[in-house]
């Protein structure tokens, strides 16, 4: 027969959201690290999975960085939150052969290296120090665990998603809220993301660091927050039990360092030559096959740049020893 204390020990204790997210996403059996399965692409659609045009745009950005650096003998490409390596694979395929031969690709990921990945890609747990080139983080920061606050108190959460009020927010978290998300109501404390991004930028000796994500700025913070979950291509309740992705939009303006530029994905991809313009109808009779290919490409570009969709993502572009981009 169990004592009252032994019974109590079996009851899950609510914890603050940052700890709950860390365990649910990256703990033993966590959503992002469990072996097997389809990986992130099986649960939600990112720009990387939407079209090869995205990898082509990143390849063009890498070549811009390469030119700024004076075409060094080796050029680093660091993909933070690399998933299954899809973006790196696409960028290497999009580069001219002579440029691809100089690239040192790094996939920064906490999950195990997938089978069959291009052997040129180095699989690492942290960004390599001394990067000379491009560090690119596509939809990484939204999965960096963070605290949730409501009416000045931390929010606690049980494994089944049930929330309860916790202690008063204080210290650096309170200072962050006062500066970046003032006012009462529900807020997502992005301090951990600021620190994670600053550490990634510090790993770059010279080049660009770019973060791309769902984003909002201080003058337009969502009054009820953005915390949500995804599973099997559908948005679901953010239950921190490892069964689903748990994510929240990013306060990219708080992450930005000196000289950083914050633009929409629509503007960034336009500068990199991705446009959703339909091909001229005359091409349909002159070269039907080329017309079909151009029409498909225009449709993919339109998805990547769509208002109310992927085109509204934020690009935080941080120069390190080079000109700011877009210059």
């Amino acid at each position: 027969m169990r004592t009252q204390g032994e019974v109590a020990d079996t009851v899950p204790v609510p914890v603050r959201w940052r700890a709950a997210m860390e365990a649910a996403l990256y703990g033993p059996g966590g959503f992002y690290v469990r072996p097997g399965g389809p990986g992130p692409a099986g649960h939600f659609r990112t720009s990387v999975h939407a079209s090869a045009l995205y990898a082509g745009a990143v390849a063009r950005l890498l070549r811009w960085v390469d030119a700024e650096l004076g075409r060094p003998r080796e050029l680093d490409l660091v993909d933070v939150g690399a998933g299954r390596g899809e973006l790196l694979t696409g960028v290497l395929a999009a580069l001219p052969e002579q440029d691809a031969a100089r690239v040192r690709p790094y996939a920064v990921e906490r999950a195990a290296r997938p089978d069959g990945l291009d052997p040129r890609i180095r699989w690492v747990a942290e960004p390599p120090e001394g990067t000379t080139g491009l560090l690119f983080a596509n939809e990484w920061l939204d999965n960096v665990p963070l605290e949730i606050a409501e009416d000045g108190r931390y929010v606690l959460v049980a494994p089944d998603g049930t929330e309860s009020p916790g202690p008063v927010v204080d210290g650096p978290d309170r200072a962050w809220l006062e500066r970046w998300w003032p006012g009462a109501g529900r807020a997502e404390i992005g301090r951990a993301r600021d620190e994670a991004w600053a550490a990634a930028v510090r790993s770059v000796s010279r080049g660009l660091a770019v973060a791309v994500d769902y984003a909002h700025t201080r003058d337009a913070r969502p009054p009820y927050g953005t915390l949500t979950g995804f599973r099997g291509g559908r948005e679901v309740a953010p239950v921190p039990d490892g069964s689903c992705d748990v994510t929240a939009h990013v306060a990219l303006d708080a992450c930005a360092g000196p000289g950083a530029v914050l633009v929409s994905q629509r503007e960034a991809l336009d500068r990199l030559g991705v446009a959703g313009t339909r091909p001229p109808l005359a091409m349909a009779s002159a070269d039907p096959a080329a017309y079909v290919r151009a029409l498909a490409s225009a449709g993919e570009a339109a998805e990547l740049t769509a208002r109310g969709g992927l085109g509204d993502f934020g690009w935080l572009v941080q120069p390190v020893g080079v000109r700011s981009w877009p210059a």
Side-chain angles (χ1 to χ4, degrees):
M1 180 176 179
R2 291 179 176 178
T3 68
Q4 184 175 359
E6 288 174 331
V7 172
D9 288 343
T10 68
V11 178
V13 177
V15 298
R16 282 159 42 174
W17 262 107
R18 183 176 177 182
M21 286 181 67
E22 178 67 31
L25 299 180
Y26 306 112
F31 182 79
Y32 278 110
V33 298
R34 69 169 63 99
H43 296 279
F44 46 84
R45 184 174 175 84
T46 73
S47 297
V48 175
H49 309 124
S51 172
L53 294 175
Y54 192 75
V58 176
R60 285 189 287 276
L61 180 58
L62 179 63
R63 296 185 73 189
W64 181 90
V65 173
D66 189 24
E68 287 291 301
L69 296 174
R71 293 183 60 82
R73 184 173 63 86
E74 292 183 316
L75 180 66
D76 296 324
L77 174 59
V78 181
D79 181 10
V80 184
R84 296 296 187 267
E86 300 96 333
L87 179 60
L88 288 173
T89 300
V91 171
L92 290 172
L95 287 170
E97 185 176 345
Q98 66 272 20
D99 291 334
R102 293 188 296 113
V103 171
R104 294 190 299 183
Y106 294 87
V108 182
E109 185 55 72
R110 296 172 70 170
R113 182 188 182 99
D115 295 334
L117 187 67
D118 188 323
R120 292 175 293 178
I121 297 175
R122 299 159 170 85
W123 198 264
V124 296
E126 300 288 342
E129 293 297 325
T131 290
T132 300
L134 174 63
L135 181 145
F136 201 85
N138 185 75
E139 295 195 44
W140 167 57
L141 286 173
D142 68 294
N143 286 126
V144 172
L146 82 174
E147 301 288 8
I148 307 296
E150 191 162 348
D151 296 329
R153 291 183 173 274
Y154 291 109
V155 175
L156 307 182
V157 62
D160 65 359
T162 302
E163 293 185 341
S164 56
V168 172
V169 177
D170 57 8
D173 283 344
R174 179 175 178 178
W176 191 95
L177 280 177
E178 290 174 349
R179 179 179 181 185
W180 294 109
W181 201 316
R186 189 174 174 97
E188 293 149 2
I189 305 173
R191 185 173 64 86
R193 293 166 172 189
D194 298 356
E195 294 171 352
W197 180 242
V201 172
R202 284 196 300 271
S203 74
V204 179
S205 291
R206 194 160 173 251
L208 279 187
V210 180
V212 181
D213 233 309
Y214 301 95
H216 45 65
T217 55
R218 189 180 185 278
D219 60 351
R221 301 286 188 228
Y224 304 107
T226 62
L227 187 72
T228 191
F230 286 95
R231 183 194 305 117
R234 295 180 179 275
E235 188 170 7
V236 297
V239 178
D241 61 359
S243 68
C244 66
D245 181 27
V246 180
T247 177
H249 295 197
V250 183
L252 279 181
D253 52 341
C255 296
V261 175
L262 184 57
V263 298
S264 69
Q265 175 155 297
R266 185 166 44 256
E267 180 181 346
L269 292 185
D270 180 67
R271 290 186 58 84
L272 292 168
V274 178
T277 305
R278 292 172 61 93
L281 191 58
M283 184 188 292
S285 54
D287 191 340
Y291 177 77
V292 170
R293 289 194 298 271
L295 194 62
S297 179
E300 293 175 7
E303 180 181 2
L304 290 173
T305 59
R307 296 184 185 278
L310 295 175
D312 290 343
F313 272 44
W315 280 46
L316 174 60
V317 184
Q318 182 74 58
V320 181
V322 298
R323 287 186 300 157
S324 182
W325 185 93

